[in-house]
Amino acid sequence: MNIVLLGAPGAGKGTQAAKLVEEFGTPHISTGDMLRAAVKAGTPLGQKAKSFMDAGDLVPDDVIIGLVTERLQDPDTEKGFILDGFPRTSAQAVALDAELSKLGRPLDAALLVDVDPEVIVKRLTSRRMCRDCNYIGTAADETCPKCGGEMYQRDDDNEATVRNRLDVYEKSTAPLIDYYRGCDLLVSIDGDRDPNVVYADVKQALGL
């Protein structure tokens, strides 16, 4: 099961990936998580990426492709993987296809979680994250319901940055949908519903 997850920031890709990981044990490769870890660790890659991330812009292709290519060499990805947040452009998709071809592990599907942009703005600006366990909740959660930790709003979850991220997504990432449709790999799911209903549709669409 080699899958690329598509959809705007906040569409619920991470939620669906977590459900697939829990049920099937497939490694979830989130470039967002990888980049945030690099920023937190203060690595050269993290410092380079931070200025782009803070502005809501895309991190340059060479940085992302290097990260993902390294990760796909790890033994846990041999039986499958879920790529989340990569590729984000057609150029990245072509580069990914080339890397997967070398590894002899082509994609099985490109799964699009489709949500209206205004729903996403409302969803993301009310999102809060736990500093301790990374639980994602809402503004109603004063403390983390999972571990009791402090909840905070990520710098990139303010409205101006969210709208910029959606604009960047629309301009540079949306062509990916046409790319994967042309490859006959695109599977589209309505993401503006209860996550469990969405997940049932995801499994059916992927034949799981």
Side-chain angles (χ1 to χ4, degrees):
M1 180 170 68
N2 301 336
I3 300 170
V4 163
L5 273 178
L6 299 174
K13 300 187 299 293
T15 300
Q16 296 307 313
K19 290 179 178 293
L20 287 168
V21 170
E22 186 179 357
E23 184 166 352
F24 300 100
T26 310
H28 173 213
I29 303 173
S30 165
T31 50
D33 289 348
M34 290 165 75
L35 284 167
R36 277 189 286 277
V39 168
K40 193 172 182 180
T43 64
L45 179 68
Q47 290 170 2
K48 186 176 178 182
K50 189 175 189 301
S51 59
F52 294 94
M53 292 165 70
D54 285 349
D57 292 329
L58 292 178
V59 177
D61 282 6
D62 60 327
V63 177
I64 300 289
I65 290 166
L67 263 180
V68 172
T69 303
E70 275 184 12
R71 181 68 181 87
L72 290 175
Q73 311 287 335
D74 293 344
D76 67 332
T77 67
E78 286 174 9
K79 291 183 181 177
F81 54 82
I82 301 165
L83 272 176
D84 179 3
F86 179 89
R88 288 195 176 190
T89 64
S90 300
Q92 288 181 358
V94 172
L96 175 64
D97 283 348
E99 291 300 327
L100 293 178
S101 179
K102 286 181 205 168
L103 296 169
R105 292 151 64 192
L107 288 176
D108 294 312
L111 179 68
L112 171 64
V113 182
D114 199 19
V115 180
D116 181 84
E118 288 307 314
V119 171
I120 288 175
V121 170
K122 187 175 178 183
R123 190 185 282 183
L124 285 188
T125 53
S126 69
R127 185 166 70 174
R128 299 294 183 271
M129 184 178 270
C130 175
R131 289 194 189 279
D132 297 328
C133 74
N134 290 335
Y135 171 85
I136 294 175
T138 68
D141 298 314
E142 291 184 17
T143 57
C144 176
K146 196 172 175 185
C147 76
E150 180 192 350
M151 299 293 284
Y152 75 103
Q153 184 178 40
R154 274 172 28 187
D155 292 342
D156 54 357
D157 279 347
N158 66 75
E159 184 170 346
T161 303
V162 167
R163 289 193 181 277
N164 185 45
R165 286 163 70 199
L166 289 173
D167 191 41
V168 168
Y169 167 78
E170 193 58 40
K171 285 177 183 168
S172 56
T173 313
L176 271 180
I177 295 167
D178 292 330
Y179 176 84
Y180 283 119
R181 186 180 285 118
C183 297
D184 206 24
L185 289 171
L186 188 72
V187 177
S188 184
I189 301 291
D190 175 10
D192 191 16
R193 297 172 297 163
D194 179 275
N196 292 323
V197 175
V198 176
Y199 184 57
D201 272 8
V202 166
K203 285 207 298 181
Q204 184 177 5
L206 294 175
L208 299 173

